[in-house]
């Protein structure tokens, strides 16, 4: 029975799918520990695995970013990021690039010390590490221990070659293509970040592991053995570099729990008031864009009298409480995977979890991308025929109703085939293939 330590950053959108993979590895016979910040211990309990307290960044998001206790600097950076999303795609990506050092490499020495200590106590056969946990990957590289990489978002997070840069979408949706000058500005900033991080990685490795091979490009550093993508293997994706086994799981969603009595009552009321139900959720960070939420929901309620709405509004639920009624439920958070089994469409931000969960459930989507890899995900939604993409910053109340009518006329018929393809794999398949790949690695040295 191999012992595996799954290391997660303290962000619920990363920790939850990694805990699902941890549970699947346990069911396949591995002895698994889930290593994350103490606030996420409940995910280890739910997965039925051991827990190892480990904090790999100062930033955190336990479910709603605005409600997570942060120090003043982290709160200020979150506010700056949200302001940048109002200026448009390139501004948001540039803000994220400026914050990258504090987000991703705040305390590499502390992470190395913590992992060395955990490795001595737990003696794992190998690790699973989130691709965006760069200090963890760097530490494992320096320690010389085997690990597999988990890619939590768009597959382009694992760079496909020398012309690919972390922080630059591999493709843009039609509604949000930047002009060439802004795109050059973004690529130049990403290239500077790439060079700066690569120099930091090289200096760190020389200091702590001079006998180990150099880590190379920082943002390209990933497992030489196996990479798990929580994403479908679309034929148009960039060709990944050769080397490790590539496992496209399709999705990393757990089987949803049954609804409780409160949600049963909500759904009965919504169904009795509207022929169709639409879920609106912009993720754990971007629910703070309550201006966009209000535009979407008022547009649906005023423009589609046969539609009811469920809104995950985070800390802005109180600010949107006036929208609540027989046709609208506005709450801080929702049981998203369970609701996707019941709704007719979703409006989301292009987060990879929301995208793949919609594919798994066969639910078409209106996608409103703001930042990160959401532009790449949104473009894939267009190409897969699974959604319509709109610019959240130029949205009018009439836009989402018009997009939904298009979805239900042209996209919904394709969704059963897409859902069947995504469901054929999933966490259990990925866990089995990953154990086999790492087992082969161990048997050959």
């Amino acid at each position: 029975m191999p012992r595996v330590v799954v290391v997660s950053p303290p962000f619920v959108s990363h920790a939850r799918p990694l805990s699902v993979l941890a549970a699947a590895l346990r069911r396949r016979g591995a002895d698994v520990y889930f290593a994350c910040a103490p606030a996420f211990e409940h995910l280890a309990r739910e997965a039925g695995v051991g827990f190892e307290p480990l904090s790999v960044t100062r930033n955190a998001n336990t479910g709603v970013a605005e409600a997570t206790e942060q120090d003043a600097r982290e709160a200020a950076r979150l506010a700056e990021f949200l302001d940048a999303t109002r200026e448009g795609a390139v501004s948001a990506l540039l803000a994220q690039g400026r914050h990258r050092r504090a987000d991703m490499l705040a305390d590499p020495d502390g992470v190395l010390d913590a992992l060395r200590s955990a490795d001595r106590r737990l003696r794992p056969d190998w690790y699973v590490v989130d691709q965006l946990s760069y200090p963890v990957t760097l530490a494992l590289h320096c320690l010389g221990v085997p690990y597999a990489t988990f890619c939590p978002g768009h597959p382009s997070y694992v760079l496909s070659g020398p012309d690919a840069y972390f922080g630059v979408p591999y493709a843009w949706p039609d509604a949000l293509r930047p002009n060439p000058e802004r795109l050059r500005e973004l690529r130049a900033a990403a290239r500077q970040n790439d060079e700066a991080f690569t120099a930091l990685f090289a200096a760190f490795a020389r200091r702590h592991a001079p006998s180990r091979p150099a880590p190379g490009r920082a943002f390209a550093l990933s497992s030489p053995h196996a990479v798990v993508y929580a994403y479908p293997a679309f034929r148009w994706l960039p060709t990944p570099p050769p080397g490790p086994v590539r496992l496209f799981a399709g999705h990393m969603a757990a089987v949803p729990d049954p609804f409780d009595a409160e949600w049963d009552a909500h759904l009965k009321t919504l169904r009795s008031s509207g022929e169709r139900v639409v879920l609106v959720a912009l993720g754990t960070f971007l629910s703070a864009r309550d201006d966009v939420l209000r535009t979407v929901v008022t547009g649906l309620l005023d423009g589609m009298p046969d539609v009811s709405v469920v809104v995950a509004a985070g800390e802005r639920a109180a600010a949107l409480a006036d929208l609540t009624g027989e046709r609208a439920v506005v709450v801080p958070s929702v049981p998203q995977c369970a609701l996707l089994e019941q709704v007719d469409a979703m409006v989301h931000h292009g987060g990879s979890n929301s995208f793949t969960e919609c594919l798994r459930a066969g639910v078409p989507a209106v996608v409103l991308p703001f930042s990160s890899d959401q532009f790449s995900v949104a473009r894939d939604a267009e190409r897969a025929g699974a959604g319509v993409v709109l610019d959240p910053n130029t949205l009018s109340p009439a836009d989402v109703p018009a997009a939904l009518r298009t979805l239900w006329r042209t996209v919904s018929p394709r969704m059963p085939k897409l859902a069947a393809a995504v469901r054929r794999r999933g966490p259990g398949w990925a866990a089995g293939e990953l154990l086999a790949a790492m087992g082969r690695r161990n048997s050959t040295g």
Side-chain angles (χ1 to χ4, degrees):
M1 175 188 296
R3 176 168 288 181
V4 183
V5 175
V6 177
V7 185
S8 174
F11 306 106
V12 69
S13 57
H14 295 241
R16 190 165 294 282
L18 273 166
S19 72
V20 171
L21 180 59
L25 289 167
R26 175 189 58 79
R27 287 192 294 271
R28 293 281 182 160
D31 176 23
V32 183
Y33 283 82
F34 184 70
C36 194
F40 293 85
E41 185 174 2
H42 67 284
L43 293 180
R45 290 195 300 270
E46 293 170 13
V49 301
F51 181 70
E52 175 69 16
L54 179 68
S55 295
V56 299
T57 178
R58 297 190 188 102
N59 200 357
N61 177 3
T62 58
V64 175
E66 288 187 296
T68 301
E69 185 175 346
Q70 311 271 15
D71 68 28
R73 287 173 301 176
E74 303 304 326
R77 288 195 302 109
L78 175 58
E80 182 187 343
F81 161 70
L82 290 170
D83 286 344
T85 67
R86 292 178 167 85
E87 299 173 11
V90 172
S91 294
L93 291 168
L94 287 171
Q96 289 180 301
R98 290 193 300 272
H99 297 165
R100 202 137 279 153
R101 172 72 185 272
D103 279 340
M104 294 181 167
L105 210 64
D107 183 20
D109 294 276
V111 171
L112 176 61
D113 289 343
L115 280 168
R116 183 185 285 114
S117 175
D119 192 71
R120 288 169 178 164
R121 283 183 288 103
L122 299 176
R123 300 288 184 187
D125 295 283
W126 46 277
Y127 293 80
V128 177
V129 58
D130 190 301
Q131 171 66 12
L132 300 191
S133 286
Y134 293 102
V136 178
T137 302
L138 179 58
L140 296 175
H141 172 85
C142 289
L143 291 172
V145 295
Y147 66 93
T149 292
F150 175 78
C151 185
H154 194 270
S156 57
Y157 274 153
V158 179
L159 300 184
S160 57
D163 294 329
Y165 289 97
F166 180 61
V168 179
Y170 95 102
W172 293 88
D174 291 337
L176 289 111
R177 295 182 187 277
N179 66 51
E181 183 178 350
R182 290 288 273 163
L183 187 55
R184 284 193 293 272
E185 180 184 3
L186 178 62
R187 287 186 63 85
R191 187 181 303 111
Q192 289 174 356
N193 256 346
D194 188 285
E195 293 169 355
F197 268 72
T198 296
L200 287 168
F201 272 39
F204 185 91
R206 284 195 302 269
R207 189 165 69 251
H208 291 283
S211 63
R212 294 279 299 143
R217 277 183 79 189
F219 296 126
L221 184 61
S222 59
S223 171
H225 310 299
V227 180
V228 177
Y229 301 89
Y231 209 81
F234 293 126
R235 65 184 182 281
W236 57 78
L237 292 173
T239 302
V245 174
R246 309 278 175 176
L247 303 173
F248 285 84
H251 72 91
M252 201 54 64
V255 176
D257 293 327
F259 283 125
D260 59 22
E262 181 179 13
W263 275 105
D264 271 332
H266 282 322
L267 284 171
K268 286 176 183 175
T269 299
L270 293 170
R271 282 290 180 195
S272 67
S273 304
E275 182 181 343
R276 286 172 161 148
V277 178
V278 175
L279 171 61
V280 180
L282 300 183
T284 55
F285 281 94
L286 292 160
S287 59
R289 287 295 306 270
D290 58 325
D291 57 323
V292 177
L293 287 174
R294 182 171 288 277
T295 298
V296 170
V297 177
T298 55
L300 291 174
L301 295 178
D302 295 343
M304 305 190 86
D306 60 339
V307 165
S308 295
V309 187
V310 179
V311 188
E315 284 290 280
R316 305 305 173 95
L320 300 173
D322 59 296
L323 299 175
T324 299
E326 289 187 352
R327 290 174 52 217
V329 172
V330 181
V331 291
S333 61
V334 299
Q336 183 164 301
C337 285
L339 277 174
L340 284 172
E341 304 287 337
Q342 304 293 327
V343 303
D344 300 282
M346 184 175 179
V347 179
H348 66 74
H349 60 304
S352 61
N353 289 333
S354 292
F355 173 55
T356 56
E357 288 165 11
C358 281
L359 289 178
R360 178 187 176 277
V363 173
V366 177
V367 187
L368 310 175
F370 294 82
S371 64
S372 308
D373 63 336
Q374 295 159 20
F375 308 105
S376 296
V377 172
R379 180 57 180 153
D380 288 347
E382 287 181 330
R383 295 191 69 173
V388 173
V389 182
L390 302 174
D391 184 342
N393 289 308
T394 62
L395 204 63
S396 77
D399 289 337
V400 171
L404 284 173
R405 293 186 184 101
T406 298
L407 281 180
W408 288 325
R409 185 177 67 253
T410 64
V411 172
S412 292
R414 305 186 190 118
M415 295 308 296
K417 183 176 180 181
L418 282 169
V422 169
R423 284 176 180 260
R424 276 198 287 271
R425 293 195 171 183
W429 175 88
E433 294 294 312
L434 181 56
L435 285 165
M438 295 304 288
R440 289 193 296 271
R441 178 265 163 207
N442 290 338
S443 66
T444 60

